[in-house]
Amino acid sequence: MVQDVVMPFTLREPALSDAPQIAELHVTSWRETYSHLLSEVFFTEEHVQSRYEMWSHILGNPRAEWGIRIAECRGQVIGFAFFGPSFGPAGQELPRDRQLFSLYVTAERYGTGVGQTLLDATAADGPAMLWVARDNLRAVAFYRRNGFEFDGAEQTDPGAPAIVDARMVR
């Protein structure tokens, strides 16, 4: 008999030195979830480098209004969440003042509480908005369990036109 053992994890604020692991997890999560919808350019070393530059900038320029947490196990980043003030195109009215920008967990940690812990540590249970790939049924179900509902707004990224992002609010 084989028993599935879930390794414990810790949650903490990331340091600039965590940017490479966060970038790698960011791209790996896209590969695990969206490889059938995204071109191979999203999974190249150049794209990992662009995510590294993005995370280096975010972590190197912290702001008090941002909530960023990473989950790690045995020194390896297994998930992260990024929460802060909402923004959109100039003049666009937003339904909430706070937004969950990112919440990614390694596929092997789905269903273990890592995502829930990250959401609770950043967005808690207050009013918020987020964009989710409309066809990512696992993520949609997770957000619905946490009180989010679609509000009808949708958008696509010209670089990834096969993915329709839908806004959820609570």
Side-chain angles (χ1 to χ4, degrees), residues 129-149:
M129 62 177 266
L130 60 88
W131 291 93
V132 62
R134 183 183 62 202
D135 296 329
N136 185 343
L137 301 181
R138 172 182 282 281
V140 169
F142 171 79
Y143 292 127
R144 282 196 162 135
R145 283 192 308 273
N146 281 280
F148 289 89
E149 290 298 332

Side-chain angles (χ1 to χ4, degrees), residues 17 54-55 62 104 111 127 141 164 169:
S17 60
M54 181 190 88
W55 283 106
Y104 291 99
V164 176
V169 297

Side-chain angles (χ1 to χ4, degrees), residues 24 28 30 37 42 45 59 75 78 95 97 100 107 127 134 136 140 144 155 157:
E24 186 66 41
T28 297
W30 287 351
L37 297 173
F42 281 90
E45 190 55 42
L59 297 176
I78 59 170
D97 293 335
L100 180 65
R134 183 183 62 202
N136 185 343
V140 169
R144 282 196 162 135
Q155 65 184 14
D157 180 334

Side-chain angles (χ1 to χ4, degrees), residues 12-14 39 61 85 99 110 113-114 116 119 123 152 166:
R12 66 176 173 84
E13 289 187 38
S39 75
N61 298 282
Q99 180 171 346
Y110 289 169
V114 174
Q116 187 66 57
L119 181 65

Side-chain angles (χ1 to χ4, degrees), residues 86-104:
S86 298
F87 71 89
Q92 180 186 42
E93 189 171 328
L94 299 171
R96 299 291 186 266
D97 293 335
R98 306 285 289 158
Q99 180 171 346
L100 180 65
F101 298 106
S102 306
L103 196 160
Y104 291 99

Side-chain angles (χ1 to χ4, degrees), residues 37-118:
L37 297 173
L38 295 173
S39 75
E40 282 300 311
V41 73
F42 281 90
F43 312 117
T44 63
E45 190 55 42
E46 291 80 20
H47 201 68
V48 173
Q49 181 64 30
S50 75
R51 292 290 107 177
Y52 168 72
E53 290 167 7
M54 181 190 88
W55 283 106
S56 293
H57 177 76
I58 291 168
L59 297 176
N61 298 282
R63 295 172 54 184
E65 65 269 21
W66 289 346
I68 306 171
R69 296 292 180 277
I70 60 172
E72 65 182 354
C73 179
R74 297 184 174 175
Q76 209 46 41
V77 175
I78 59 170
F80 68 89
F82 179 26
F83 185 76
S86 298
F87 71 89
Q92 180 186 42
E93 189 171 328
L94 299 171
R96 299 291 186 266
D97 293 335
R98 306 285 289 158
Q99 180 171 346
L100 180 65
F101 298 106
S102 306
L103 196 160
Y104 291 99
V105 176
T106 58
E108 65 192 20
R109 289 300 185 124
Y110 289 169
T112 65
V114 174
Q116 187 66 57
T117 303
L118 286 163

